Amino acid sequence: MRRSALLASFVKELRLLARDVHGLALLFVLPLVFILVMSLALQDLFEARAGRGIGVLVIDRADGPQSQDLYARLAANEAFSVRRSETVPNDADMRRLLRGSANAFAIDIAADYETRIAELASENPEPLVRVTAASDTTKQTELIFVAALQGAVERQRAALLMTRIGYLVPEGEEAASERRIAVSYAYAPAGGAAPTAVQQNVPAWLVFALFFVAIPFSNSFIRERQVGAQRRLRTTNIGAFTQFFGKLAPYFVINQLQVALMLAAGVYLVPLLGGHALQLNGSVFALIALSVTLSLAALGYALLIAVTAKTTEQASLTAGLGNIVLAVIGGVMVPKFVMPEAMQQIADLSPMSWGVDGFLELFLRNGGVVDIWPELAKLAAFGLFALALARVLYRPQEQT
Amino acid sequence: MSAESAAGAPFLSATDVTYRYRGAAREALEGVSFQIAQGACFGLLGPNGAGKTTLFSLMTGALALQGGDIRVGGVSACSDLPKVRAMGALAPQDLAFYPGLTGRQNLSFFAGVYRMDAKTWRKQFDEAVAVGQLHALLDRRAETYSGGEKRRLNLAIALLNAPRILYLDEPTVGIDARSRRAIVDAIAGLKAQGVTIVYTSHYMEEVEQLCDALMVVDEGRIVAIGGKQELLQRYAPSALIVTLDEPARRDSLVALQPAWQDDLHLTVPIASATELPRVLNAMTAAGAKVATARYGAARLEQAYLAMIGAREAA
């Protein structure tokens, strides 16, 4: 069986890559560090924005059907992250529980809540529910929370009173009332939610890492030209396409390993360090398609730099700076949803932005291939155009 | 100008070859025609920028012809470039391999490029390693090789596809005398096996030793072409060629004004035989131990300078 020039080129490139262990490690370690640091460091910021509920600790002294109903009403509200206290603390314990915890409030439901909730005119001056705010809870948050709590108690009272006078609240009424008001986010795509820190940072730095292969690839390509190996290869029948694809294929494999590793870091490593786990929602097939087209775009970009740069220094600088510019405008370093409208439009010009958008569509909105079709098409078109342009620009070099 | 390099059927023939680089003010080659006989060693000489590298690139198929034709083994580079490429191999002046790979890995990669089957690979690998004397070096990274070892690997890679015509672009540049001797001997061995060789070097001693026919180019045109003896007789009739028993200090022999010199060899131009005793005595006085001395053989260095001088005068 004859040897394959493509396979020989692939193996040669892998061997050269294996020699540069530090460069190779950088392709994996650098984005991994970014993912961990940024996911954990920005977790609170993203949560404030993306809607993880206000922490509420519930001390239920009544522990009856009505107090449990109030608990359920609060828990059903996405604005709150409600947790039941295992103990019934005194005032000092309450302050201790709130200090240094994720809870903004503790609510203490009175022991006689069950009987007093439906009283029409009570002489009892004691409140039904006491609210204790944590020291770092803002006044704004307090007012909003108290209003919501008031609303929940009043709706519960209204339902009880109507039942008392013989009016049965229709089934589904409560659920229907939730749908009367719709919320949308000016900074997120239509109908979409804003991502959490890990949902934003894993795709963002993953996309950044994929484009980073432009540096080692272009350096390898230029060194091959400098030592005269390309001239020698031009006297054989290997052809430019075999040469290009033989060199690009190992980097495609590296790109896919990067995707697997970064996603695994989001799913398994970030939660180990105290962050939220990345949820790999959406279609697996769409995820693979996105990973492949992203790599195509990154490799096209890499080849374009390789054939246009004259020295390794020039290639490193162009690829490095180019990556940073694409990342800055593409929503990697600054999430797109916090950008003003004009900047978001500029961001849409960056292939990195297409990649990040694709991942967010899958992870946040359970997307499939159809949902990320525009991103896939743009990435594939960019990659193919860059590869074709690189081939055209390489032609004059074959005549020198 | 056109000439056949030596007796025998031409294996390579160039007809009216013209080439101009994009943006260049003049042609790198203009109307160059010549023939190289099967199994000959053809020396291609000329100053830097004369057009030698361009001609090498056109003959090897690295550049596409713009005007004229080159036929190798009867196949036109214009009509079947892949076949022309498959018949030849280039050992470029640059060390055209991967310094980060071992000798074996480099050879393996280029064997893949030539799409060899396993049997051919084993045979050609053994031959290339033997010619390049690389046995002890195969599993070391090429970047750790000495200059001479790198040159030998460069040559060995060119031999992998069993070329019928071998293009050697300054294969001994920048290496010590011993390594140079090893490479020159290897090339002589290939020539003896019937491989047609196109050879360029600035070491005239090597060219004179190896080549049967010569072509001198300058500014993209042929200055002189013909059999080696014919050109030497025409342009440089006399010189004393000395081989030493042991290396002599270079500066001790400077007074003799040698036309060419390495550790063990030197060439002293002399006007007539009456000068022989004076020159030999001077060498003895300088501490040089003469093993052999030949007089009457024409020297290529002189001839080459005379050819270039004649063109400039014209």
Side-chain angles (χ1 to χ4, degrees):
Chain A
M1 195 173 71
R2 284 184 178 275
R3 285 173 172 237
S4 151
L6 187 65
L7 185 63
S9 197
F10 178 80
V11 171
K12 177 261 296 173
E13 204 59 34
L14 275 186
R15 282 174 169 156
L16 288 174
L17 264 169
R19 286 260 302 120
D20 184 16
V21 177
H22 293 104
L24 202 56
L26 211 63
L27 288 177
F28 291 93
V29 174
L30 191 74
L32 198 60
V33 169
F34 276 129
I35 283 174
L36 293 178
V37 171
M38 302 305 267
S39 294
L40 297 173
L42 299 178
Q43 187 160 302
D44 290 347
L45 190 72
F46 272 79
E47 276 176 2
R49 188 111 202 164
R52 191 172 193 224
I54 298 165
V56 178
L57 183 68
V58 177
I59 298 134
D60 186 0
R61 292 176 193 275
D63 198 19
Q66 297 309 321
S67 65
Q68 284 167 12
D69 180 55
L70 177 65
Y71 179 90
R73 284 169 188 273
L74 290 175
N77 189 332
E78 286 181 0
F80 308 129
S81 179
V82 185
R83 192 167 66 84
R84 192 182 292 275
S85 172
E86 301 297 323
T87 58
V88 179
N90 56 28
D91 286 355
D93 288 342
M94 185 86 83
R95 283 194 291 276
R96 188 177 51 73
L97 278 173
L98 284 175
R99 197 180 307 131
S101 75
N103 296 315
F105 300 98
I107 62 168
D108 189 342
I109 303 173
D112 53 359
Y113 188 82
E114 298 297 311
T115 51
R116 291 179 56 208
I117 180 68
E119 282 179 0
L120 284 175
S122 176
E123 294 298 318
N124 192 341
E126 289 298 310
L128 278 173
V129 180
R130 285 178 186 276
V131 176
T132 307
S135 57
D136 58 349
T137 303
T138 63
K139 189 69 185 170
Q140 265 181 323
T141 310
E142 180 198 320
L143 293 173
I144 292 165
F145 174 68
V146 170
L149 180 60
Q150 187 80 41
V153 172
E154 290 309 324
R155 279 202 303 280
Q156 193 183 17
R157 261 173 67 81
L160 284 171
L161 292 173
M162 288 171 87
T163 308
R164 190 183 292 171
I165 62 173
Y167 179 79
L168 289 175
V169 178
E171 201 175 328
E173 168 62 20
E174 290 276 329
S177 70
E178 297 293 324
R179 291 196 296 270
R180 290 195 184 103
I181 299 170
V183 179
S184 65
Y185 301 91
Y187 50 82
T196 63
V198 73
Q199 282 170 326
Q200 166 67 29
N201 281 298
V202 171
W205 295 107
L206 162 57
V207 169
F208 184 67
L210 296 192
F211 277 80
F212 226 78
V213 296
I215 294 178
F217 176 82
S218 56
N219 275 246
S220 164
F221 190 93
I222 290 166
R223 272 197 297 271
E224 193 171 67
R225 190 167 64 206
Q226 285 171 341
V227 298
Q230 281 186 6
R231 180 168 176 239
R232 174 172 242 154
L233 290 173
R234 288 210 306 272
T235 68
T236 70
N237 289 318
I238 186 170
F241 280 102
T242 309
Q243 229 188 106
F244 284 178
F245 287 108
K247 282 188 80 66
L248 287 169
Y251 289 90
F252 177 79
V253 173
I254 285 174
N255 271 174
Q256 300 316 306
L257 289 175
Q258 284 177 306
V259 172
L261 185 75
M262 303 306 147
L263 292 182
V267 173
Y268 302 109
L269 196 55
V270 174
L272 281 181
L273 298 173
H276 303 300
L278 176 70
Q279 302 291 319
L280 295 182
N281 301 320
S283 146
V284 174
F285 180 70
L287 183 63
I288 293 170
L290 183 59
S291 174
V292 169
T293 50
L294 250 172
S295 185
L296 183 65
L299 295 177
Y301 172 73
L303 187 62
L304 200 53
I305 287 173
V307 300
T308 49
K310 290 187 169 52
T311 62
T312 53
E313 291 81 6
Q314 201 181 64
S316 298
L317 204 66
T318 311
L321 285 178
N323 273 4
I324 290 169
V325 170
L326 290 178
V328 167
I329 66 167
V332 169
M333 296 184 177
V334 180
K336 227 166 99 175
F337 66 82
V338 301
M339 291 179 182
E341 184 65 24
M343 274 307 296
Q344 288 197 22
Q345 285 175 358
I346 292 171
D348 283 338
L349 299 175
S350 167
M352 288 194 192
S353 163
W354 309 334
V356 176
D357 285 351
F359 279 116
L360 293 180
E361 185 67 38
L362 296 182
F363 297 160
L364 292 182
R365 290 176 281 281
N366 279 307
V369 171
V370 175
D371 303 303
I372 61 167
W373 176 246
E375 282 79 19
L376 294 179
K378 280 191 279 189
L379 286 167
F382 175 84
L384 292 173
F385 175 75
L387 289 173
L389 185 60
R391 178 67 189 98
V392 170
L393 293 175
Y394 184 67
R395 208 176 287 278
Q397 291 176 29
E398 293 177 298
Q399 295 298 311
T400 56
Chain B
M1 191 182 290
S2 176
E4 191 168 327
S5 66
F11 184 68
L12 183 149
S13 63
T15 310
D16 204 20
V17 172
T18 298
Y19 194 87
R20 185 174 189 158
Y21 290 101
R22 184 183 294 191
R26 65 168 178 84
E27 274 75 15
L29 289 172
E30 190 172 359
V32 172
S33 300
F34 61 94
Q35 293 179 338
I36 301 174
Q38 171 103 43
C41 182
F42 186 80
L44 182 56
L45 304 177
N48 292 331
K52 301 191 297 292
T53 302
T54 306
L55 192 51
F56 258 66
S57 297
L58 292 167
M59 287 188 289
T60 54
L63 287 180
L65 282 161
Q66 289 174 350
D69 192 15
I70 292 175
R71 299 182 77 84
V72 179
V75 179
S76 165
C78 292
S79 59
D80 197 351
L81 190 57
K83 202 166 180 182
V84 167
R85 282 175 174 157
M87 277 188 276
L90 167 72
Q93 184 181 348
D94 296 324
L95 295 166
F97 51 76
Y98 299 90
L101 301 183
T102 65
R104 189 188 304 278
Q105 288 168 345
N106 268 294
L107 289 165
S108 174
F109 165 64
F110 283 100
V113 168
Y114 290 125
R115 298 178 173 89
M116 287 179 182
D117 58 45
K119 189 178 165 190
T120 311
W121 155 239
R122 278 194 294 273
K123 178 174 173 288
Q124 288 308 120
F125 174 81
D126 289 344
E127 278 188 27
V129 168
V131 172
Q133 300 174 26
L134 297 170
H135 294 95
L137 309 170
L138 281 172
D139 295 313
R140 267 173 46 199
R141 283 202 304 275
E143 65 196 1
T144 67
Y145 289 11
S146 70
E149 290 165 346
K150 286 175 180 168
R151 285 278 154 208
R152 273 147 49 199
L153 176 60
N154 205 35
L155 175 64
I157 291 168
L159 300 177
L160 272 177
N161 71 330
R164 293 174 65 193
I165 183 164
L166 185 60
Y167 305 92
L168 302 171
D169 191 356
E170 305 208 30
T172 60
V173 70
I175 57 174
D176 63 272
R178 185 174 294 178
S179 293
R180 188 153 74 230
R181 179 57 48 199
I183 289 178
V184 168
D185 288 349
I187 295 166
L190 292 166
K191 184 184 164 194
Q193 290 170 27
V195 176
T196 304
I197 293 169
V198 186
Y199 193 91
T200 181
S201 174
H202 289 297
Y203 298 111
M204 295 298 162
E205 172 93 348
E206 288 173 14
V207 177
E208 188 172 349
Q209 181 188 339
L210 290 168
C211 296
D212 314 300
L214 301 168
M215 181 167 84
V216 179
V217 291
D218 194 14
E219 294 185 351
R221 293 163 188 267
I222 296 175
V223 172
I225 188 167
K228 179 176 66 182
Q229 291 308 326
E230 173 200 343
L231 291 177
L232 289 175
Q233 287 301 325
R234 194 189 317 160
Y235 289 99
S238 62
L240 177 67
I241 304 160
V242 179
T243 304
L244 302 176
D245 261 343
E246 55 191 51
R249 281 179 50 215
R250 222 165 248 262
D251 54 1
S252 67
L253 300 171
V254 164
L256 297 172
Q257 296 182 309
W260 189 86
Q261 182 180 7
D262 69 11
D263 292 350
L264 290 172
H265 309 86
L266 73 160
T267 301
V268 183
I270 53 178
S272 72
T274 57
E275 287 187 49
L276 283 173
R278 177 187 65 78
V279 172
L280 290 170
N281 288 338
M283 292 182 73
T284 308
K289 292 183 180 173
V290 177
T292 62
R294 287 187 297 136
Y295 171 70
R299 296 303 307 158
L300 187 55
E301 178 95 18
Q302 279 176 283
Y304 171 71
L305 293 172
M307 287 180 240
I308 295 291
R311 192 198 70 79
E312 285 170 354

